[in-house]
Amino acid sequence: MPELPETETIARDLHAAIVGARIVAAQVLRPDVVRGVTAAGCARRLHRRTLQRVWRRAKSVVLSCDDALHAVVTPRFTGALILGAPDVADAYACIRLTLADDRELRYTDVRRLGTFAVFDSAALHAWSDALGPEPLDPAFTAERLSECLRGTKRAVKAVLMDQKRLAGVGNIYANESLWRAGIRPARRAASLTRHECAMLHHELTGVLREAIAARGTSFRDYRDAFGARGSYAAQLQAYGRGGQPCTRCGRVLKISHAIDGRATVWCAGCQR
DNA sequence: AGGGGAACCCGTACGC
DNA sequence: TGCGTACGGGTTCCCC
């Protein structure tokens, strides 16, 4: 379940490792992960391109080639972008990009709920424009967060995870930031005070930065571009700790699926 | 506007 | 050992 810190880790590593690399062969083995073009179109368009920039938007890794061609990779639960020697034994390989130096960039995904979209510049902008602001953008202030939370009756946790309102935050970091800020996940987003918005902004950006520093959370499936795990799971205070004592006040953490049907963990003792 | 449910996937866990 | 079934989890889409 790669969210912002995990996809950021993948994008940074890949950018450092493959900018300038030329794709000499593109093979689509699992057409059902392809979006935006047909499987044949995906292979044809990526063939003979050179990778110019690898970056992140929301929970997706963007491989930008020359001629304004972009592959937007969204790993969801079990997807991974793996860079290394060609691995013909990978039964879950969906797309293989062979690079001129004989390395392979492979999109592999056991459950195939992840997607590999190929966009031109116009489609890329249309996709990006439909997403909310990036929480780690310097322009994303507490006031901007307050605007994201305004004008809705929904629970604050559901709004944090709404990609149209705020990009890149999923279940793990929504739970963590609300625990850190001492705010109950079920609170109406619009009910947060100015002070609470400032607290939440501080904790949300803080947890995302710390998770990037730890190379992400490998709770179950997440692997980076070299197949390694991230280490932030050891620092989680809420996510995955339902039924265990709160590390701040000692009360047993609650767990429920009442918000958007997803696991929400919180402390009834110190989250208000 | 927003809540509910289905669909998309298949490995894992569990019941019998 | 093996077979059948429930489950998970973000997003999209459809219905209410």
Side-chain angles (χ1 to χ4, degrees), chain A residues 1-7 56-61 72 74-76 126-135 140 144 148-149 154-174 204 208 260 262:
Chain A
M1 36 199 138
E3 303 177 28
L4 186 156
E6 294 75 32
T7 41
R56 179 195 61 75
R57 173 81 169 111
K59 305 175 189 174
S60 300
V61 177
V72 176
T74 311
R76 297 271 163 74
W127 166 73
S128 183
D129 288 350
L131 296 167
E134 285 290 335
F140 186 76
R144 292 288 289 114
C148 293
L149 302 178
R154 301 168 70 198
V156 59
K157 178 176 176 248
V159 178
L160 288 179
M161 293 172 63
D162 183 343
Q163 302 300 297
K164 293 183 210 62
R165 289 202 173 238
L166 183 63
V169 179
N171 204 25
I172 294 177
Y173 301 106
L204 176 64
L208 293 173
D260 281 2
R262 302 195 186 98

Side-chain angles (χ1 to χ4, degrees), chain A residues 122-195:
Chain A
L124 181 80
H125 286 121
W127 166 73
S128 183
D129 288 350
L131 296 167
E134 285 290 335
L136 294 185
D137 187 321
F140 186 76
T141 58
E143 178 57 29
R144 292 288 289 114
L145 174 62
S146 164
E147 289 166 16
C148 293
L149 302 178
R150 226 170 270 165
T152 175
K153 294 178 177 177
R154 301 168 70 198
V156 59
K157 178 176 176 248
V159 178
L160 288 179
M161 293 172 63
D162 183 343
Q163 302 300 297
K164 293 183 210 62
R165 289 202 173 238
L166 183 63
V169 179
N171 204 25
I172 294 177
Y173 301 106
N175 276 304
E176 291 300 297
S177 59
L178 289 165
W179 181 88
R180 286 167 61 132
I183 297 167
R184 288 197 191 206
R187 282 270 301 280
R188 282 189 179 193
S191 78
L192 266 62
T193 64
R194 180 178 293 268
H195 177 65

Side-chain angles (χ1 to χ4, degrees), chain A residues 1-255:
Chain A
M1 36 199 138
E3 303 177 28
L4 186 156
E6 294 75 32
T7 41
E8 179 71 23
T9 300
I10 295 167
R12 287 182 186 181
D13 285 351
L14 286 180
H15 185 79
I18 62 173
V19 160
R22 185 174 155 86
I23 298 165
V24 295
Q27 192 181 9
V28 177
L29 299 106
R30 297 287 189 169
D32 58 1
V33 305
V34 175
R35 299 291 187 279
V37 290
T38 63
C42 172
R44 177 163 32 81
R45 292 203 191 190
L46 290 170
H47 185 38
R48 297 194 186 115
R49 303 285 176 164
T50 298
L51 291 155
Q52 301 282 22
R53 181 182 169 219
V54 185
W55 50 290
R56 179 195 61 75
R57 173 81 169 111
K59 305 175 189 174
S60 300
V61 177
V62 185
L63 306 165
S64 290
C65 303
D66 49 3
D67 300 323
L69 186 80
H70 313 270
V72 176
V73 185
T74 311
R76 297 271 163 74
F77 310 106
T78 54
L81 268 172
I82 302 291
L83 178 67
D87 179 5
V88 292
D90 181 354
Y92 305 112
C94 299
I95 293 172
R96 296 180 188 278
L97 304 177
T98 306
L99 307 180
D101 58 12
D102 293 332
R103 286 181 302 174
E104 172 184 80
L105 178 61
R106 182 169 76 253
Y107 180 64
T108 184
D109 193 341
V110 172
R111 294 191 194 170
R112 300 205 305 281
L113 284 175
T115 56
F116 190 109
V118 176
F119 291 151
D120 62 16
S121 284
L124 181 80
H125 286 121
W127 166 73
S128 183
D129 288 350
L131 296 167
E134 285 290 335
L136 294 185
D137 187 321
F140 186 76
T141 58
E143 178 57 29
R144 292 288 289 114
L145 174 62
S146 164
E147 289 166 16
C148 293
L149 302 178
R150 226 170 270 165
T152 175
K153 294 178 177 177
R154 301 168 70 198
V156 59
K157 178 176 176 248
V159 178
L160 288 179
M161 293 172 63
D162 183 343
Q163 302 300 297
K164 293 183 210 62
R165 289 202 173 238
L166 183 63
V169 179
N171 204 25
I172 294 177
Y173 301 106
N175 276 304
E176 291 300 297
S177 59
L178 289 165
W179 181 88
R180 286 167 61 132
I183 297 167
R184 288 197 191 206
R187 282 270 301 280
R188 282 189 179 193
S191 78
L192 266 62
T193 64
R194 180 178 293 268
H195 177 65
E196 285 173 326
C197 281
M199 296 272 287
L200 184 55
H201 176 268
H202 179 73
E203 299 302 342
L204 176 64
T205 54
V207 73
L208 293 173
R209 286 202 178 89
E210 288 167 32
I212 290 170
R215 301 183 57 78
T217 300
S218 291
F219 198 79
R220 294 183 64 177
D221 302 300
Y222 167 67
R223 295 296 183 275
D224 68 22
F226 309 113
R229 299 168 64 91
S231 66
Y232 196 74
Q235 297 179 61
L236 294 174
Q237 304 294 316
Y239 184 85
R241 295 196 69 249
Q244 297 179 48
C246 174
T247 57
R248 192 163 45 204
C249 76
R251 179 97 68 108
V252 172
L253 295 175
K254 296 198 171 212
I255 181 163

